[in-house]
Amino acid sequence: MKAAILTDLTQCVGCEACALACKEINGLPRTSANNLLTAYTWSAVENRKGVNIRRQCMHCEEAACVSACPVGALTKTPEGAVIYDGHKCMGCRYCMIACPFGIPKYQWDKPIPVIEKCIFCYEKALKKGDQPACTRACPTGATLFGERSALIAEAQRRMEAQPDRYIPHLYGLREAGGTSVLYLSAVPFADLGFPANMIQDPYPKLTWKVLNKIPSIVTTGTALLAGIWWIVNRRIELQDSPEERV
Amino acid sequence: MKIKLPKPTFWTFVLAAIWAGGLYATFHRFYYGLGATTHLSDQFPWGIWIGFDILVGVGLAAGGFAIAATVYIFNLKEYKPIARSTILTAFLGYVLVITALMFDLGKPYNVWHVIVMWNPHSVMFEVGWCVMLYTTVLFLEFLPVVFERFRLERWQRRFQTITVPLVIVGVLLSTLHQSSLGTLYVLVASKLHPLWYSGLLPLFFFISAIAGGLAMVIFESYLSARAFGKELEHSLLANISRVIAVVIGIYLVLRLQDLSSRSALRYIFDGSAESLYFLVEILLGFVTPMLLFFSARVRASKAWLFFGAVLVLFGFIMNRLNVAITGMTRYSGVEYLPSWMELAVTMSVVAAGLVAFRFAVKFLPIFPAEEKLGVHQPPLVAAGKSGRWAMAALFGILLLLVAGFGWSLAAKKPNTPAQIPDPAKLLPAESLTFPEAIAIPKSEASPGQVTFNHESHVDQSEPNCKTCHAVLFSIRSVGQEAGGAAKAGHEPCGTCHNGEKAFNYEESCDGCHVSSE
């Protein structure tokens, strides 16, 4: 199963039940605001001119953060969640730089901080086949849990059935090579603070194109340098002892 | 026994002040954390410690591998006199980079994880390994100097046999991680400004590191000559400057070509802050020194050589900071300026490098012996008119840059928020689907069952769930939630049923409670 979440922004009433359910299940302090993602708010509901926008980790199919982490602290599980192991992390924060959605947040207030972000309730629900706390809490069904392909089909059905209601764009279908969190909206996503100039290919491909050349750089480089050294040296030897030249 | 302390000079006090600030910042950083010490944030997670200490530090140490390759692989022995000081600069550079990294890492004690927890898909993983290995290589390349000092001739000879393989490994490792620092930013395709983002960043970082590293050789030789009364290897430095000019030429052609192929040329003159920083970087930091170094008259003057090298270093530093900070600002939506403590740490690290270099020169045979024979060589600085002009120009440019930077900060306008169409009307009320009627579990004292209906409580034309959710009544899955109201008695309902917003619950029980009889 490839789990996913479909959030239909036209159905969200902004009750923040998802944000509070997230805090409850993850033991996060209720004191911090619910409208902005931080290390202590992994699921937020932001209101921009009347549209309630639920924000959370996109759980990319091929995540930039997973490829960026030098110690493999971030991983994509077979179920679809991008999870994090704080014990491995050394705090380089390259994941924060790498993520095109700006999702991973840092505990800036702590002397020994870790990265924090939505982990799809992996240990507490998804691993056992349950849905995460946020979709369970949603009273209007605006944010749904399900199989990714099934949710894509449902989203496409909605867009076709009500073309006046939705813009013809399922955000997350292709963005960053596809994400496990999908959005439907009535207004263009760029106006809602969603990154606009996303590439449609997985981000890790960009760096892998460079990294996979390393073996050939090393082998040809060694041969080249050793060759130059040998030729130069041989020339000097011959110059020093011309009688060797037959 | 008396310990002779050096006579304190003006610079001793400057050093003491910088280190005092650095020490306080170090305490602050490790006791209160990154957030309290730096101006870093979730929007801007990498600041000057990465942009300057790491990117610039590693880049300017590139002279080490370039000169080592020149001397040992291309066998141009005439460069040997500057090899040791260059390798020392590189070694100290890497040690300082690693030191600075310890400040920036959130959990510096986990840095060894990169050795055992592999992720070959990570650029950072590769950078980590290469920096680790290359620092070791530089240490080994530098060891013969220590052997010579302590007359361990056997060891020195033993090391001579592995010099060439060591240099080859060093060149490869340098090539890999100098370019990989650029590859780090290949991943941020949608964040970095198009004036700097390119798939060719690894190539650009590598080429500019050669130019910057070689400029560092000139810079360091000139200052060593002044500080330690050592004759400048002028002809060598002049040759190096010519190489720098060619390297910069290649670099500029590639960058312009790349900008045009990504149709990003239009950003150069669009009048934005980015375009200004880009123009200063390219024109002042690369084009000007390239033209200078192509001139024989400039190469003949020590002061002008130094001047050109400083410009290249400026361009190099500007480039790295533009990639790490200027180019990332627009996406982040915040203006990052380092805190004084970030600056104090950076300056302390640089100062430590200078002091360590001084000590190494004092106690180890860094410069060729014959040059030290001169009992008291006066510092050789071109004191001619042209030299003074070079210094005046340098000072003038510096002043202009500081003034320009100050002005650009002062003139910063607040960001105007983007215009968003009002989509309130796009939310058709009839689309609301309410949960079914909720039967609230009753307590023993209850006069009758209460059933809550959303339909009678929500204004369909102006639905506002937040009036009740999720503060008064938490929303869990359907059915679970109702218990909350029963446990709380009449309180939550009474928030509105108080006789003002709705009828007072104390006045009419059967308004809500339906008796079963």
Side-chain angles (χ1 to χ4, degrees):
Chain A
M1 189 191 83
K2 258 270 152 94
I5 291 173
L6 170 66
T7 298
D8 185 337
L9 295 181
T10 68
Q11 287 190 6
C12 176
V13 291
C15 71
E16 295 180 8
C18 48
L20 287 163
C22 173
K23 291 204 161 179
E24 192 169 273
I25 195 169
N26 291 303
L28 299 168
R30 271 171 169 249
T31 43
S32 60
N34 288 333
N35 60 353
L36 188 75
L37 291 181
T38 67
Y40 308 105
T41 304
W42 303 351
S43 170
V45 183
E46 188 193 347
N47 190 296
R48 287 205 185 197
K49 293 233 170 149
V51 180
N52 300 301
I53 310 143
R54 162 159 155 68
R55 299 208 190 277
Q56 62 168 123
C57 174
M58 299 291 289
H59 296 281
C60 305
E61 299 282 275
E62 274 184 64
C65 61
V66 171
S67 88
C69 181
V71 292
L74 288 150
T75 41
K76 175 91 174 168
T77 71
E79 296 90 342
V82 174
I83 57 168
Y84 167 77
D85 181 352
H87 296 293
K88 286 186 174 179
C89 176
M90 60 173 162
C92 72
R93 309 190 295 286
Y94 186 36
C95 52
M96 301 178 74
I97 294 285
C99 176
F101 301 102
I103 295 298
K105 304 294 178 196
Y106 211 47
Q107 294 176 326
W108 296 103
D109 55 331
K110 297 204 172 159
I112 298 176
V114 289
I115 292 284
E116 297 279 33
K117 71 168 197 70
C118 159
I119 46 170
F120 219 129
C121 290
Y122 183 67
E123 291 293 333
K124 290 180 177 135
L126 187 62
K127 210 170 156 186
K128 303 171 196 157
D130 286 346
Q131 63 172 321
C134 53
T135 55
R136 179 184 289 277
C138 183
T140 64
T143 188
L144 293 171
F145 170 83
E147 174 97 31
R148 185 167 188 265
S149 51
L151 288 180
I152 290 172
E154 168 63 14
Q156 269 152 359
R157 190 193 63 76
R158 287 187 198 182
M159 284 189 290
E160 270 166 41
Q162 288 172 283
D164 306 337
R165 183 184 174 122
Y166 299 104
I167 53 160
H169 183 179
L170 177 58
Y171 195 93
L173 180 63
R174 288 187 218 292
E175 275 75 10
T179 61
S180 299
V181 173
L182 306 154
Y183 286 93
L184 281 173
S185 170
V187 282
F189 287 99
D191 295 337
L192 300 177
F194 285 77
N197 58 339
M198 296 296 299
I199 55 171
Q200 312 279 302
D201 242 5
Y203 279 71
K205 266 194 188 167
L206 293 169
T207 38
W208 187 242
K209 263 189 265 178
V210 185
L211 284 176
N212 68 10
K213 294 199 176 68
I214 289 177
S216 50
I217 290 177
V218 171
T219 46
T220 48
T222 313
L224 200 70
L225 290 168
I228 291 172
W229 172 78
W230 186 81
I231 291 169
V232 172
N233 230 37
R234 183 77 186 138
R235 252 195 208 164
I236 292 171
E237 267 174 35
L238 290 179
Q239 267 168 8
D240 290 349
S241 50
E243 66 274 15
E244 248 184 61
R245 246 179 287 179
V246 185
Chain B
M1 206 179 108
K2 248 182 164 177
I3 297 165
K4 251 210 278 182
L5 283 169
K7 227 174 102 189
T9 63
F10 168 69
W11 292 108
T12 320
F13 289 112
V14 173
L15 184 69
I18 291 177
W19 276 353
L23 213 62
Y24 176 75
T26 306
F27 161 74
H28 209 273
R29 150 71 186 91
F30 288 105
Y31 192 78
Y32 296 106
L34 283 164
T37 310
T38 67
H39 284 172
L40 299 174
S41 60
D42 280 333
Q43 288 75 39
F44 219 95
W46 278 4
I48 192 174
W49 287 348
I50 296 288
F52 187 87
D53 300 24
I54 310 284
L55 295 187
V56 171
V58 169
L60 292 187
F65 89 88
I67 296 295
T70 310
V71 173
Y72 295 104
I73 298 192
F74 294 94
N75 232 323
L76 298 170
K77 294 287 184 222
E78 62 265 33
Y79 287 91
K80 212 164 177 183
I82 54 170
R84 280 188 172 180
S85 58
T86 310
I87 288 171
L88 173 65
T89 310
F91 177 58
L92 290 176
Y94 276 86
V95 170
L96 296 175
V97 162
I98 293 169
T99 310
L101 186 65
M102 295 303 120
F103 282 83
D104 191 76
L105 288 182
K107 294 186 181 183
Y109 53 85
N110 274 353
V111 70
W112 58 274
H113 281 185
V114 86
I115 304 174
V116 287
M117 302 169 185
W118 285 33
N119 180 9
H121 281 261
S122 166
V123 186
M124 190 62 88
F125 168 78
E126 191 225 329
V127 171
W129 266 91
C130 284
V131 167
M132 217 157 47
L133 291 176
Y134 186 53
T135 309
T136 315
V137 166
L138 279 170
F139 175 72
L140 294 177
E141 283 181 353
F142 187 69
L143 260 189
V145 180
V146 182
F147 294 149
E148 187 181 314
R149 166 71 179 76
F150 296 102
R151 317 216 165 169
L152 300 164
E153 271 116 11
R154 204 146 52 96
W155 277 98
Q156 217 181 335
R157 251 176 288 126
R158 218 173 271 174
F159 256 73
Q160 253 160 24
T161 58
I162 61 159
T163 303
V164 171
L166 213 53
V167 170
I168 291 181
V169 172
V171 172
L172 287 172
L173 288 171
S174 295
T175 310
L176 290 182
H177 73 268
Q178 292 289 359
S179 54
S180 288
L181 288 177
T183 318
L184 282 178
Y185 287 88
V186 169
L187 195 52
V188 295
S190 41
K191 288 183 173 182
L192 186 56
H193 191 277
L195 280 175
W196 292 282
Y197 181 80
S198 160
L200 293 180
L201 268 173
L203 187 65
F204 295 155
F205 264 53
F206 177 68
I207 299 178
S208 57
I210 292 179
L214 290 178
M216 193 65 189
V217 175
I218 298 180
F219 179 79
E220 168 246 295
S221 297
Y222 181 87
L223 290 185
S224 297
R226 287 197 65 153
F228 313 123
K230 181 186 66 85
E231 173 64 273
L232 274 181
E233 305 82 359
H234 189 149
S235 65
L236 293 185
L237 299 186
N239 281 343
I240 289 177
S241 77
R242 214 152 50 178
V243 174
I244 295 176
V246 173
V247 172
I248 292 181
I250 297 169
Y251 177 69
L252 288 176
V253 169
L254 283 174
R255 271 193 78 180
L256 279 179
Q257 166 66 37
D258 171 65
L259 281 171
S260 103
S261 76
R262 290 183 294 108
S263 43
L265 283 171
R266 63 203 153 99
Y267 297 107
I268 298 181
F269 298 106
D270 69 359
S272 62
E274 286 93 348
S275 73
L276 184 71
Y277 279 85
F278 177 84
L279 284 172
V280 172
E281 172 200 328
I282 293 293
L283 294 181
L284 193 59
F286 289 106
V287 174
T288 313
M290 178 185 72
L291 296 178
L292 284 175
F293 284 160
F294 272 132
S295 142
R297 272 177 57 198
V298 165
R299 291 200 304 272
S301 152
K302 283 164 192 167
W304 277 105
L305 265 186
F306 178 70
F307 174 60
V310 170
L311 285 188
V312 176
L313 292 180
F314 167 78
F316 179 86
I317 293 170
M318 192 82 184
N319 173 257
R320 295 309 193 256
L321 292 182
N322 278 343
V323 169
I325 294 168
T326 318
M328 298 288 277
T329 296
R330 191 180 289 256
Y331 173 90
S332 76
V334 295
E335 291 282 348
Y336 164 82
L337 268 183
S339 71
W340 77 263
M341 284 191 275
E342 286 177 87
L343 288 174
V345 167
T346 296
M347 284 164 75
S348 297
V349 167
V350 173
L354 294 175
V355 171
F357 190 87
R358 223 197 134 94
F359 270 98
V361 169
K362 204 167 172 186
F363 295 110
L364 295 169
I366 302 296
F367 295 113
E370 63 268 30
E371 286 177 32
K372 278 198 170 168
L373 286 178
V375 183
H376 178 74
Q377 270 181 326
L380 276 171
V381 183
K385 234 183 198 168
S386 128
R388 244 173 267 147
W389 275 114
M391 291 304 145
L394 200 58
F395 187 72
I397 287 173
L398 200 76
L399 217 62
L400 263 175
L401 285 173
V402 170
F405 187 62
W407 176 78
S408 78
L409 281 186
K412 207 138 268 169
K413 286 180 211 114
N415 285 346
T416 43
Q419 286 297 308
I420 300 170
D422 186 356
K425 295 182 194 99
L426 293 167
L427 279 174
E430 59 270 21
S431 74
L432 281 180
T433 46
F434 290 125
E436 287 161 22
I438 299 163
I440 294 170
K442 52 180 200 168
S443 65
E444 278 176 26
S446 170
Q449 177 68 49
V450 177
T451 307
F452 179 82
N453 262 310
H454 273 89
E455 278 84 353
S456 56
H457 281 85
V458 182
D459 181 355
Q460 286 272 10
S461 63
E462 240 182 300
N464 189 356
C465 307
K466 284 168 104 169
T467 310
C468 306
H469 298 305
V471 178
L472 276 178
F473 302 94
S474 80
I475 307 178
R476 306 276 292 281
S477 60
V478 178
Q480 282 183 333
E481 183 261 332
K487 255 183 272 158
H490 291 110
E491 279 311 312
C493 300
T495 310
C496 294
H497 285 285
N498 55 5
E500 289 172 23
K501 289 181 187 162
F503 67 86
N504 191 332
Y505 69 89
E506 282 178 337
E507 285 167 10
S508 139
C509 295
D510 52 10
C512 304
H513 294 275
V514 180
S515 88
S516 48
E517 290 135 42

